[in-house]
Amino acid sequence: MTTAAAAVAPPITLDNNVTTLLTAINRADCGNEQLCAAQPSDCDPSTSSSCFFLAAKQSSGSNFDFGLSGESDGYIAATLSLDNILGGNDTTYVCANNNGVVKFFGAVLDNGKLTLRDLPVDSVKGKITGKKIQCTFSATVPAQRTIASISISTGPFDSSTDALGDPITHFKSSLVDLENANPTVTNELSTTSHAITIQQSLTQALLFTVGVLGLTML
């Protein structure tokens, strides 16, 4: 009799060799078979150039299939964080533009810096179209990181030294369950930016009003 534990696939053995991705990453199965994060929220990476996108689909246990897409002159990366604060040696998957072909790296993010680290990843595929980087891969996610904050970032890449520059974050979610494909994953950075813009506009309006009242009293 097969037990549930026996049915779970073993952890993936590292193989980060990259083969060609023949089909474009798309959002067709979002909310159904895979969890998706995107900026803008409704963008489709198969058609839009300005679309930062990450899809995660559980294959077995802590093994997941990922799709990552975005525009960058250097690299695009997906980070899984245990909390809402980026850093603290967060697991990060990096797809870089290596002179027109994708090169894959495992890394950890700490204090705004990426440090290369071997991660259990295989079946890596990628392609470069202009500035758009797309890659798919399978990975064994650390068990405690199946509930994680997702972030998507870009940064510079030096192909001569494999050096990864400091990441710029374009998408960051609250904690989500990677095993659940249904939730809508929102970008906290957009909310923060919107709130800051409103606050700045109100402040500017108040200063303008005070200025006008001051002139009328002269």
Side-chain angles (χ1 to χ4, degrees):
M1 181 175 181
T2 302
T3 64
V8 174
I12 289 170
T13 301
L14 171 64
D15 180 3
N16 57 9
N17 291 315
V18 182
T19 59
T20 301
L21 179 64
L22 299 178
T23 58
I25 295 172
N26 62 70
R27 60 178 304 119
D29 294 325
C30 291
N32 182 20
E33 295 184 4
Q34 59 185 11
L35 180 76
C36 295
Q39 178 59 36
S41 60
D42 60 348
C43 69
D44 187 337
S46 66
T47 57
S48 173
S49 57
S50 57
C51 180
F52 295 100
F53 182 86
L54 175 68
K57 179 181 179 181
Q58 185 181 29
S59 56
S60 179
S62 294
N63 294 344
F64 288 80
D65 297 327
F66 290 94
L68 179 62
S69 179
E71 281 202 340
S72 174
D73 291 320
Y75 69 79
I76 182 166
T79 297
L80 304 179
S81 176
L82 287 173
D83 50 37
N84 282 326
I85 302 174
L86 289 176
N89 291 323
D90 291 337
T91 300
T92 303
Y93 307 103
V94 183
C95 296
N97 184 341
N98 185 39
N99 299 314
V101 296
V102 170
K103 190 168 187 177
F104 182 90
F105 299 94
V108 291
L109 176 66
D110 189 34
N111 293 322
K113 305 288 184 181
L114 286 170
T115 302
L116 296 182
R117 181 77 55 84
D118 286 341
L119 298 175
V121 172
D122 70 1
S123 304
V124 186
K125 298 179 181 180
K127 68 175 182 177
I128 307 289
T129 307
K131 294 176 62 176
K132 182 189 289 187
I133 302 172
Q134 292 200 327
C135 63
T136 61
F137 54 93
S138 298
T140 301
V141 174
Q144 68 273 25
R145 293 186 190 269
T146 57
I147 297 179
S149 169
I150 299 170
S151 70
I152 305 171
S153 60
T154 59
F157 172 65
D158 187 337
S159 58
S160 62
T161 62
D162 285 349
L164 302 172
D166 294 348
I168 298 173
T169 306
H170 302 276
F171 181 99
K172 179 185 171 298
S173 76
S174 58
L175 293 176
V176 296
D177 184 356
L178 298 181
E179 298 179 4
N180 186 355
N182 295 323
T184 300
V185 184
T186 57
N187 188 359
E188 290 187 333
L189 298 182
S190 294
T191 303
T192 302
S193 175
H194 183 58
I196 291 173
T197 301
I198 291 175
Q199 184 178 18
Q200 289 174 338
S201 298
L202 289 174
T203 301
Q204 291 169 353
L206 179 60
L207 290 174
F208 178 76
T209 302
V210 170
V212 171
L213 289 174
L215 290 174
T216 59
M217 294 175 65
L218 293 178

